[in-house]
């Protein structure tokens, strides 16, 4: 399941939901991404995550389906927030449940890597010198190149 | 045609979305970009470097030569930064 | 931090605690192990985890210290339960918090692998033909061999 | 000396822990095992195959030739099964 929402989420309740009543689940791996308050010793301000409603959900559902195809998962969940987020706030939750811990770990890391580099979000950081759009990472550019005739 | 702009493209153009009548002869994403660029200073600034513009038609990434139709939803945005 | 306890734990609260007030944390990875209700189509009954109080805590603290030494972690937590556990019950929680998601994933998987094969627990399974002590896994035997002159 | 037994070793011996006076001449873990084996049918059964017995002295895994002293805590158990 995937959800794109402005509100925060309840990590414990979401993890519980993925294992309850599923007799085949042996391990549940989760990743919680939070807004860092500092990087390289420099304080970081709040940021605003902009997204393209409709397309975000479509791409997230596609990557979740790919994870379920590649690993024997009992269930998977991706929740991604948008809007203004302060340092320390949760941004993203990925949960994978499987009979096998290795499958759960690999699928979770796969989803998180995709989200962190290719999910259709744009970040506006609040800095001491004003708001600043975060540049795309090189990995995104490479991944996107095959889609774009330049 | 519905046009959507995101992130600094939206900021430079000054609007998030609009509905436009497609002029005759604009049949591809590339042609649309050339036409948009000439619509005013904000557009010219936003689309100066087309290599940092990504385009999705009806929620799917498309290349420059992708055909466009009057009822498409076309979104234009910078490379995504991830979550 | 490590804890060996009979009681259940609150996954959401523990994950929260690891990130709260830590400005350098960007990602928190967690693993929840649960008692499976079936394996290979066969139903599994409850099990009882026996351990050696004192030594368990010592070995868990050692492996947690090793994980902190090998990866740049902001914090880490291992909670392991003992006693009788029904299918669906949580057995173990491992949480790792880091500025870097890859470090958090690797350290968590390292700790879980160790716990699942080398943690000083003995499992008594309830089967239709009576209680049965689970055999050690080969990986444990190999790991232990260097300690034992046979 | 305090002796602790775990899992099926405990079940076969019938007790979880005991305090014993170390007989003269029992100075290593290996000698302790040989002595324990002769203390009764439960002990003989438990320690029949010493290759599946692990020993910790004061919370540390030790090999068969490890020395033991009167105030040690010695734990004997099967290979661990993990959590």
């Amino acid at each position: 399941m995937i959800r794109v929402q402005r509100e925060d989420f309840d990590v414990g309740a979401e993890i519980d939901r993925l294992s309850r009543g599923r007799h085949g689940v042996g391990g549940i791996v989760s990743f919680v991404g939070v807004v860092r308050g500092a990087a390289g010793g420099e304080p970081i301000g709040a940021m605003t995550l902009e997204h393209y409603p409709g397309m975000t959900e479509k791409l997230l559902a596609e990557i979740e389906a790919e994870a379920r195809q590649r690993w024997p998962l009992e269930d998977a969940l991706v929740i991604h927030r948008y809007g203004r987020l302060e340092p320390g706030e949760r941004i993203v939750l990925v949960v994978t449940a499987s009979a096998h811990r290795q499958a759960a770990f690999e699928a979770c890391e796969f989803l998180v890597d995709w989200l962190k580099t290719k999910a259709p979000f744009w970040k506006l950081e609040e800095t001491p010198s004003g708001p600043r759009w975060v540049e795309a990472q090189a990995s995104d550019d490479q991944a996107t190149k095959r889609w774009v005739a330049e | 045609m519905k046009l959507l702009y995101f992130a600094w493209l939206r900021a430079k153009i000054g609007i998030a979305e609009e509905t436009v009548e497609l002029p005759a002869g604009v049949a591809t994403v590339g042609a649309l970009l050339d036409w948009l660029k000439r619509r005013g200073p904000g557009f010219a600034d936003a689309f100066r470097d087309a290599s940092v513009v990504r385009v999705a038609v009806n929620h799917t990434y498309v290349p420059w030569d992708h055909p466009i139709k009057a009822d498409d939803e076309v979104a234009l945005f910078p490379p995504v930064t991830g979550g």
Side-chain angles (χ1 to χ4, degrees), chain A residues 50-52 54-55 58 80 115-116 118-123 133-137 140-141 144 147-149, chain B residues 4-8 10-11 51 53-54 56 59-64 73 75 77-83:
Chain A
E50 184 173 331
H51 80 119
Y52 176 9
M55 185 161 176
K58 182 191 169 223
H80 211 296
L115 288 165
K116 286 284 181 182
K118 305 197 188 81
F121 291 95
W122 301 278
K123 286 179 189 160
W133 289 100
V134 174
E135 295 258 335
Q137 298 171 51
D140 164 69
D141 269 358
T144 316
W147 300 106
V148 182
Chain B
L4 304 174
Y5 311 108
F6 291 98
W8 53 258
R10 172 183 51 69
S51 76
V53 177
R54 303 291 178 262
H59 296 161
T60 301
Y61 282 113
V62 295
W64 267 203
E73 175 174 307
F77 45 82
V80 301
T81 45

Side-chain angles (χ1 to χ4, degrees), chain A residues 33-83:
Chain A
V34 298
V35 182
R36 281 194 286 170
E42 293 295 305
I44 298 178
M47 66 171 180
T48 300
L49 273 180
E50 184 173 331
H51 80 119
Y52 176 9
M55 185 161 176
T56 316
E57 288 83 350
K58 182 191 169 223
L59 293 184
L60 262 59
E62 283 174 6
I63 201 73
E64 194 221 5
E66 186 178 335
R68 284 172 182 270
Q69 196 173 42
R70 289 174 65 168
W71 288 278
L73 302 180
E74 295 280 327
D75 207 348
L77 170 71
V78 174
I79 302 178
H80 211 296
R81 295 178 68 191
Y82 62 88

